[in-house]
Structure formats: structure tokens, C-alpha cells
Amino acid sequence: MKAIGIILAGGKSAKLKELCKVRAVPAMPVGSSYRAIDFTLSNMSNSNINKIAVITQYNSRSLHDHLSSAKWWNLGSKQGGLFIFTPFISNENNSWFRGTADSIYQNINFLERSNETYVIIASGDAIYKMDYHDVLNYHIQKDADITIVCKDLTGTTKDPHDFGILQCDDDMRMIEFEEKPLEPQSNLASLGIYVVKRTFLIKALKTIVPDGRYDLVRDLITRYRKKIKVYGYKYDGYWNTLNSIKSYVDVNMDFLDKNIRDMFVKEGQFIETKPKDEPPAKYNSNASVKNALVGSGSILNGYVEKSVLFRKVFTGENSSIKNSVIMESSVIGKNCVIENAVIDKEVTISDGKKIIGTPDEPVVISKGSVL
Amino acid sequence: MRRKEMLAMLLAGGQGSRLGVLTSKKAKPAVAFGGKYKIIDFPMSNCINSGVDTVGVLTQYQPLSLNQHIGIGIPWDLDKNDGGVTILAPHVKGGEQGEWYSGTANAIFQNISYIDDNNPEYVLILSGDHIYKMDYSKMLDFHKANNCDVTIAVLEVTMEEASRFGIMNADENDKIYEFEEKPENPKSNLASMGIYIFTWSKLREALINDEKIHPDSDFGKHIIPSMLEKGMTLYAYRFKDYWKDVGTIESYWAANMELIETVPKFNLYEDFWKIYTNSYHQPPQYTGENAVVKTSLISEGCEVYGTVEKSVISTNVVIEEGAVVKDSIIMENCVIGKNAVIDRCIIDRNTVIGNNVIMGEGENIPNEDKPKIYNTGITVVGSDSVIPDNVAIGKNCVIFGSTKAEDYKDSKLESGKSIVLEDN
């Protein structure tokens, strides 16, 4: 593919509360085996993009750990490969990334030293499966300066007030763009995935950033919308993002749906992740598991229903887990009741404890807690 | 010159003919074990966990599956610039005809140049046949502490079992003074595990000398006795942990079944001695609304909609609604059809079992063609096989190939019968 990739993985999310205290959103565990960034990273690798930069800033340790080797995504190569950019101090510059445009501008060498014609920019916290060839072909065919991948929210549970909303003409050329509008004029939401010509991006960044304008959306796309050709590309497939505790639970529960799960794990190319070498899950004689994902290395003695268990989870006898997400290496004791909860990694719940939330407001137990 | 203190030579060329149809398309070390693993993963993981980062894998019989599995050694962190894993296949040598590996020691003899290139002080000889966790670095410490020329890992077996093994007769310090291969009246119960550490200079000399006498040079039969005769220092290194030979259908089945006990004798769940295997794609494992899963190991990527009890299930297996799998081993990528009943069977990878198939019911009659291999009631299905809908299959049966309804008279295969199709 004639494109390089940039994954914006800097974001923190206040709405994810405790879950994001210890990790960046792209490092959030998803679907029993994965991290959020695996989806965008695999999409890029599967679209034959073999030079990818991950730009990260907030709480990046867990992300560094996950990306410590590029080979799992077929990016362990001399040509191209995986680049991880964090803020750094130099003679000219000692600031954190001040915005998305600034974060790319501070690493503009990456763009200048490439010779691929196009750049795919995507955020690292969305869950979807996309072949970027389709949007790139569309971009070329429309002769656009920037193409924004967007989704019609009609009929979904997503609220347009939470998104950047595009208004397009009949040809899908963008006329207006409003970030999280008070009164949305359309249902067409930006998914934070952009296609742009590399030379155009370099020129644009060199114009806006020294001028004190640091945001890709506000200072380039919105401000320049009439001067340049911005097109919307409608994407109809599954797409979800982690922007609240509830959406985090929903995304995980989506993997219990056979169609969605098969789309990710069985059809076409694989979503790749860093292997962890755990043994098979062990179901003991008192285990009873219905409609659940179980991570490898788990040992189950209790009841589990409509839940997602990550790797190395232990459940004690007579414990009951429903509608919950239990992350890696957590231990649930005997006779516990867990309902509508998100149990972060390495939590220990002692015998007989009850942790009960509601579907709309799941309880969150933060990483490493001992209850 | 760079130097590795110890390198390992892993003998992985054996067929393992007593595993019947399971080894018809792959060598024994490539047979699945414990759900997601292959037998060879155990010695390979022991190597890297013991700090042995240079491993020569000697292949001969049906190596394709093994080569694909090992690749460049990534799962074991054996993809190294210096050392790492090297597959050593029989090859043609200058001016001569190529020759097969005719014995365990002959195989090493034919690869002297590989060992010389790495210039090790010690060579560890392993076989790819056994299930165990062992720290070879401790054995090396023992070898050095006793100024050994050879250290042989031994297991204390019962005196009754002893006549099935190579037995070391040793003094009170475990210094070996005699070796007996499968003795009728054993004098000791120290059984060789087929794991040796040699001081390389001594082994090198012994291999070259023995090659002139025995064209099928073997460690147990020739090398060890000749080194004893020459008065070299041989010690027995006692190993007290779990060690299993999985050479027969019954022992293979039983060793798998031990893993599903509440507290298994062999612990796969240890963080600091992990067993590594080739598992790049690790989709989650799903257990369905009506599923019943008890006392079983279920690997990544499996989808269980039916019932699984006391079984070991490899990766990416689908067990459809209404199906019942009991006391069985199902290997990767198999599909068990709706309402099928699988009782005490071993089903090799990529096999499809049709709807309503019943397997493992009937009298326990040994297999008619190979009674020595299939005689404990376990029915075995080879890899890439197909069993059509609605057939009933007895005990000790063997099925291999894409079978069709017309291969089964009255939709039945009686106990002890086989269907092995040529095209496999």
C-alpha cells in the first residue's frame, strides 16, 4: 500500500474513571484477549501498511509494554516497522504534545523521511475491522485533500452530541464540521480516521503549528474546510469506541455475539495481539459457564453467565459472576456474587463478598484492589 | 572465537509408531499434548527456561509439521542472531551419497560440524518424546561439580518397571559403574530418561571412534557402554519431578487426562516455568448459552455449544449444540457436529465429525489390524478426516481419511474395525 500509518494513542478519558488511571485508552483490555490498539494496528498491518507510528503521551507504560515487540503485527522488519513516539526534550522544544497536530508536527521527520504518497491517521481506541484500501481508493477517486471516515449514527445507540459531526453535500464533500455540537445538524459522525496526502500534511502542519494552532480537527479540518477539499467516506461496518464505563462493558459484551465475534476472529484477516503463553482454560468439576468468553490460563470453579473473563482469572466454588468484565489475573473467592461489575487486573475478592452494580452504572473495582 | 557453554541437540526424528495413526503424517514430537501444546514444546521450553539458547533439532521422519511449528523459534525466544534454533535434517555430504540418521548417536555424529561451529564446552542430548519440566542448568552444575565426562538423568522407577528401561547401576555417590539395557533381573531402579550431558571433547572422540565400529551408533547401546569401558566418569543425576513417556495410545491418553484433575500432578500454570508454543492467533474462547463444560481443558479459539466432560480440547475446536464429548482428546480445528456423542476417543486435527455420529460405543474388542496398538477401548481418528452424519462407531476403531456414508455398512463401524483410506 502506498501509505504510512499514524496511530494517535495519546488520549486519556476522564469518563473511563479508575480504568484509565493506570493506562492509556488504547491499552484498555478488550474481548478477553486483546488491547484496544490491536484493532487499529492489525487493520493497518492487514491493509499492507508496513510503516506505522504510534504517538503516545498519557500513561504510556502499559502501551510500551504491549508494543515492546513489533513482530506480532508483522511489523518487525528493517523496511518500515513500528515507531513509537513520546514527547521529548530538545534544544528547540521542551513541551508536551499540545494537541494532535502538534504531536505529528514534533515528529515531522517521520513524514519527511517516508516516500509513500499517503498517510492514514487513526485513533488507537476504536474497535472495528477495516481495510484501508477502500477508503484510500475513494480518496484518490474524489481527488480529496483530506478524507474523513464517518458513520451514520441513525439507528445506533451512539449520541451525535458526543462526536464530531459532518455536514456533506450530495457528493459527500464536507461543508461544515462541528465538534460535539449542541444541536447536531446531521447524524454523520467522524470516526477519527483520516486519509491525507503526505506532502499536503507536511505543508499544512508547517503552516498551522508554528502559528500556535495545535489541533488537527479544529485548526486544520474545520478552519480550512472551505479552502481545501474534505470528503466524508461512509463506513457501515461494526465500530465502537471506549468513551464511558458503560460503552466499555458494551464493547466487551459485543464479543459474545457470534456474528461480531466471527467477524473479528474468524473471517478474513486476524486481529493480532501480543501472545501471552498461558495454558488452556481449566474448567473444574463444579464449573458452570454460560454465554461467556474465557481467557487462557483461567481456572474456573464457579458459575459464570454473560460475562467476559480475561486471562488467568480464578473463580472460587459457588461464586456467581453475571454481566461482568473480569480482567487479567483477578481472583474471585468462594461464595462471591459479582453482577454488573468491571473488575480491573490483579484484583482479589475474598470469600463471600458481594459486588453488585446496575446495567447502566456498572461498579468498577480498580487495579490491584484487595477486597 | 565465540563460545556457547552448552548447546542442546534435540532428537526429534522418531516416528513413534505405537501412537498409530496419530503419527502417520507427523513425527511424534509434533503430536499435540495438553490442549494447545505439542510434545516438543516441553524440551524446547525447558531449554530456554534453563538458559540454553542454542538448540539443534534433528528431524527425519515426516518433518513438515515440525518445521512449520518451530519456524525460526519465535515462540521460545529462540530467534537469535547468535545461536537460536537450527533444524538439522539428514543431508548429502561432499563426494558421498546422502545417508539417513541410523541411530541416536549417528545422528549427532553426522552433525559434528554444527556443534563445532558453536564450539561448546558441553552438549545436552534430549529427545522430543517426553512430558516434563526440568532445569538443565542444575544438571550442568551437577556435571561440573562431579567432574563428569557424562551425566545421565535418571528416574527412580519401581523394580517391576525397571526391566523396561535402560538401568544405571551406581555406587552410593551415584557414580555409574554399569549400564544394562532392559535387564531381566535389574540390580537398581535408576532408569535412564534419555537426557545426557556430555563434555563435548569426550563425546566428539567417542562418536568418531564408535562410528567405525557401529554403523547404527546409539547412545544407550554403544556410546555409554564404551565410555564406561574406557574408565570415564559417568554420574547418574536423579530427577524427582513429573516425567511421562507418552509413547502408546493408552499412556498418551492417560497423561492428557491427568491434566484435568483438580490439582494436576503436572502444573502448567506456573508463571516462572512457562511452556511456550506456537500460538500467534489467540482468539478468545467462547462457551455458549446451553453449554455444559466440566473437568476439562479448553484452549483458545474454541466454541463450545454442547457438553464437554473430562476432556482435553485443543485450539479452535467447535463443539456444536447437543454434542457430548466425554473422556476424549480433540485436537486443533476439529468440528464436532450437532448431537454427536464422542466417548473415549482421540481425534486428530482438522477433522470433521458429522451430526448425530456416535463414537466409542460397543464391546471392547482389540483392533483387528493392529491389536498391539489399539486395545484399550480408545477409538482414534487421524488428522484431516471426515466422518459422515448419522454413523455409529465402536471401540478400538481407527478412521483415517475423508470417509463417506457408503464406507459404513448399515451406518456402522463395529468395535475393532478400521477404515484407512489410501489417499492420505
Side-chain angles (χ1 to χ4, degrees), chain A residues 301-315:
Chain A
N301 295 292
Y303 181 72
V304 180
E305 186 188 331
K306 197 170 182 259
S307 293
V308 174
L309 275 51
F310 287 77
R311 294 186 178 104
K312 288 169 77 177
V313 168
F314 178 92
T315 72

Side-chain angles (χ1 to χ4, degrees), chain A residues 30-34 273-283 292-300 308-315 326-330 345, chain B residues 34-37 268-271 274-287 296-302 313-316:
Chain A
V30 173
S32 186
S33 321
Y34 306 101
T273 189
K274 179 182 174 183
K276 282 283 183 73
D277 296 289
E278 299 304 334
K282 188 163 188 290
Y283 290 66
L293 287 180
V294 177
S296 53
S298 293
I299 300 178
L300 307 180
V308 174
L309 275 51
F310 287 77
R311 294 186 178 104
K312 288 169 77 177
V313 168
F314 178 92
T315 72
I326 319 281
M327 289 191 218
E328 198 174 315
S329 300
S330 282
K345 284 169 79 168
Chain B
K36 65 190 285 195
Y37 306 102
L268 290 168
Y269 296 79
E270 220 174 18
D271 267 348
K274 275 190 183 173
I275 305 302
Y276 301 98
T277 189
N278 184 335
S279 53
Y280 300 123
H281 312 296
Q282 304 195 344
Q285 185 261 308
Y286 179 73
T287 300
S296 295
L297 292 187
I298 315 279
S299 305
E300 287 131 341
C302 287
I313 314 290
S314 289
T315 50
N316 299 316

Side-chain angles (χ1 to χ4, degrees), chain A residues 6 8-10 55 57 85 93 95-109 111 121 146 194 196 200-224:
Chain A
I6 293 177
L8 300 173
I55 300 182
Q57 163 157 302
F85 296 131
N93 186 344
S95 61
W96 294 93
F97 297 148
R98 289 161 291 195
T100 45
D102 185 42
S103 72
I104 302 173
Y105 177 74
Q106 288 197 33
N107 297 292
I108 205 153
N109 270 343
L111 295 175
I121 302 173
I146 299 178
Y194 314 99
V196 54
F200 175 89
L201 182 63
I202 293 171
K203 212 172 141 199
L205 291 173
K206 283 187 168 171
T207 312
I208 64 168
V209 176
D211 221 13
R213 299 180 189 277
Y214 303 129
D215 191 78
L216 212 53
V217 172
R218 189 185 57 224
D219 298 324
L220 181 62
I221 293 170
T222 313
R223 191 171 145 88
Y224 282 80

Side-chain angles (χ1 to χ4, degrees), chain A residues 230-263:
Chain A
V230 181
Y231 277 83
Y233 169 81
K234 269 194 199 170
Y235 172 72
D236 298 326
Y238 177 90
W239 182 90
N240 216 327
T241 189
L242 310 176
N243 57 9
S244 68
I245 300 284
K246 175 144 183 5
S247 78
Y248 176 69
V249 174
D250 289 347
V251 165
N252 278 289
M253 294 303 166
D254 281 347
F255 279 81
L256 298 176
D257 180 322
K258 185 169 167 57
N259 294 326
I260 295 173
R261 193 173 64 245
D262 282 357
M263 182 269 292

Side-chain angles (χ1 to χ4, degrees), chain A residues 9 24 26-27 37 54 56 59-68 84:
Chain A
I37 197 170
V54 175
T56 168
N59 238 339
S60 55
R61 192 209 59 81
S62 55
L63 203 56
H64 280 287
D65 181 353
H66 188 63
L67 302 177
S68 62
I84 300 177

Side-chain angles (χ1 to χ4, degrees), chain B residues 195-233:
Chain B
I195 299 168
Y196 313 98
I197 291 178
F198 288 93
T199 300
W200 171 232
S201 56
K202 301 287 168 61
L203 175 62
R204 194 177 191 283
E205 196 188 317
L207 289 173
I208 292 168
N209 289 336
D210 195 64
E211 186 63 22
K212 293 173 196 149
I213 314 166
H214 304 107
D216 58 344
S217 186
D218 181 273
F219 281 108
K221 279 189 214 134
H222 309 127
I223 300 289
I224 301 297
S226 84
M227 290 176 107
L228 265 173
E229 213 169 279
K230 289 206 171 103
M232 292 191 187
T233 312

